[in-house]
Amino acid sequence: MARIAVIGAGMGAMAAAARLAVAGHRVTVYERSETFGGSVGRYAHEGFVFDTGPALLHLPAVYRDLFVKTGKEPLERCVTMTQVDPASRHLFADGTAVSLPNASRAGVVSALDGALGGGAGAAWGGFLDRARDAWDRSRRPLLEEPLRSDWQVLGRDPYPALRQRRLLRSARQAGTVAEIGAWELADPRLAALLDGYALSYGLDPLRAPAAAALLPYMEETFGSWYVSGGMRALAQAVYERCLARKVEFVFGAEVARVVEKDGRAAGVELVDGTVAEAGHVVLGARPWAGLVPGQELRQDSDVTVRPGPEQGVVPGRFMVLLSLRGARPPETVHRTVVHAADGTEEREAVFGGRLAERPTVTVLRPDDPSTRPDDGHEAVTLMATVAPHGAVDWTDPAVRERYADSLIEAAAAAVPGIRERLLRAEVRTPAETAADTGAEGGSVPAPALAGAGGAYLHPGNRTRLPGLYVAGGWSHPGGGLAHSGMSGALVAGLIVEGDGFRGSQ
């Protein structure tokens, strides 16, 4: 039995902590803030309750596995999860609207044909077939295994792009999300649909490899799930599972550095000078300068995230939390995406460090009594992908107010009479994300992707310093609730089973 120190109480870190405790280790989590969950936060005011991080769960099997492996009570006994159906409604710039059913390939194809015209469903269905091939080719090495020493195999794009012959010119194949939209989907509304998936994960459609097709494939195949009480209830359940496994949490405890002794991690030192010895250290946050004095933290694979030359910036989220008078109308869709009129302008603004004039806005309207004071009111969340704090000064009141107003204006297409119903608007920007989570600029990490020569992979979970491991969204296999949970499983496996660990079977 070893003593293990975990830095941070985000979802990936807690997933690792619970698994390690079940394996018989003594685990202590040191969290700089006063609560758990990392980016999975909550804001409450006068009976209105909002998620301030991810609002839907994809690949729930990741957390089902965590609860099966760490105790007798399954996930569904700890939280109430329901499939969101329809999964999403999309409002395009030309006025076209389509609702996509949850986890139904045939239903999605039929809905697209009915809304966009004959052939649209077949085009999207063919794209999903190719996305499934990419999933089958890359799922295990990309998501279920520690990053291999021959990580270069993931530098090749697994998406089987169509080879398109052209008169008097060489054939072409899509290598990016934007090229799939333009060359394989053709319909600008289908292209906007695909671009919207990429943008929601903080990926630039013009640069993100075609392998990003995995993201809509995962959502449309495994479904979108809502947790009653909001996603914070899932974080609460994971935290309580950690406590049940005797994991100790120390809140308000900021780690200054990892203690190194005899060439390996030997504990952590807090900012107040307190030193806690440990046989292993798990870093559940983005590595920072000085974490390991005298050396640069490098992962065993030499894979590095390259947000500068590849993506320009790593975006964050801008949210407007709306307290509305009036009941949520029957048949209201949980998630509506209002697509920008000019996707090129939006992309150039977000990844160029500027404000998009008219952003793509996701409108979330959960049918959950716990999110509102009574049935005569409604809690609505507006969300857009934006440049991080620093590139834009998100502490500027005028900028915050103007941008919130632009989201409300766009959301009016999905919520009729929204301004007349408005009681209160709370604004959350990347500046708040940075303050709450410590993430530089309030950036939100994207999931790992194969292709692009490895530029969209995240650093491996094992580092060059023996005994120091990395979990959470800034490590393999990247950001998002499901991916962070996977990182916790990988770190626990590496510590418990050692170098022979090859992932879940």
Side-chain angles (χ1 to χ4, degrees), residues 86-350:
S88 57
R89 181 170 181 249
H90 296 265
L91 304 180
F92 298 104
D94 67 351
T96 307
V98 61
S99 292
L100 303 181
N102 196 0
S104 171
R105 160 72 179 277
V108 168
V109 168
S110 176
L112 289 172
D113 273 339
L116 308 187
W124 188 259
F127 159 71
L128 288 180
D129 285 341
R130 295 186 291 278
R132 180 189 60 208
D133 289 344
W135 169 263
D136 291 340
R137 294 174 182 180
S138 61
R139 173 182 58 83
R140 184 163 178 80
L142 182 66
L143 301 177
E144 298 177 359
E145 296 179 345
L147 203 56
R148 292 156 39 172
S149 57
D150 63 339
W151 61 267
Q152 290 85 352
V153 68
L154 289 172
R156 297 191 293 271
D157 199 316
Y159 179 78
L162 295 177
R163 184 176 177 82
Q164 299 180 326
R165 299 182 182 279
R166 298 184 296 171
L167 184 64
L168 302 180
R169 289 185 290 177
S170 60
R172 66 185 182 185
Q173 289 179 284
T176 67
V177 168
E179 289 173 347
I180 292 175
W183 301 348
E184 294 184 3
L185 299 177
D187 189 312
R189 294 163 297 185
L190 291 181
L193 178 62
L194 178 57
D195 286 355
Y197 277 109
L199 189 65
S200 70
Y201 284 96
L203 295 165
D204 181 351
L206 194 64
R207 297 180 179 272
L214 293 178
L215 302 175
Y217 173 80
M218 286 191 297
E219 288 198 22
E220 296 191 14
T221 301
F222 304 109
S224 298
W225 298 75
Y226 177 73
V227 177
S228 296
M231 210 53 63
R232 181 67 178 178
L234 176 63
Q236 178 79 36
V238 175
Y239 171 66
E240 291 177 354
R241 178 54 55 92
C242 286
L243 294 179
R245 301 283 77 83
K246 308 302 182 185
V247 175
E248 181 182 359
F249 285 79
V250 183
F251 294 108
E254 184 173 356
V255 172
R257 68 182 183 95
V258 172
V259 176
E260 180 184 356
K261 183 178 180 181
D262 298 328
R264 63 171 290 115
V268 296
E269 180 180 342
L270 307 184
V271 293
D272 65 4
T274 301
V275 174
E277 296 182 352
H280 302 279
V281 176
V282 177
L283 173 63
R286 192 175 192 177
W288 62 87
L291 174 67
V292 183
Q295 64 173 284
E296 177 187 358
L297 178 64
R298 298 178 64 198
Q299 278 66 22
D300 62 349
S301 62
D302 283 337
V303 178
T304 57
V305 181
R306 293 180 282 173
E310 292 298 331
Q311 298 187 69
V313 294
V314 180
R317 296 190 184 98
F318 185 97
M319 307 179 76
V320 186
L321 314 178
L322 301 177
S323 301
L324 301 184
R325 64 170 62 88
R328 180 182 188 270
E331 308 303 321
T332 295
V333 175
H334 184 114
R335 175 175 57 168
T336 299
V337 181
V338 183
H339 291 270
D342 188 342
T344 299
E345 185 275 333
E346 179 179 25
R347 182 197 66 77
E348 290 177 349
V350 171

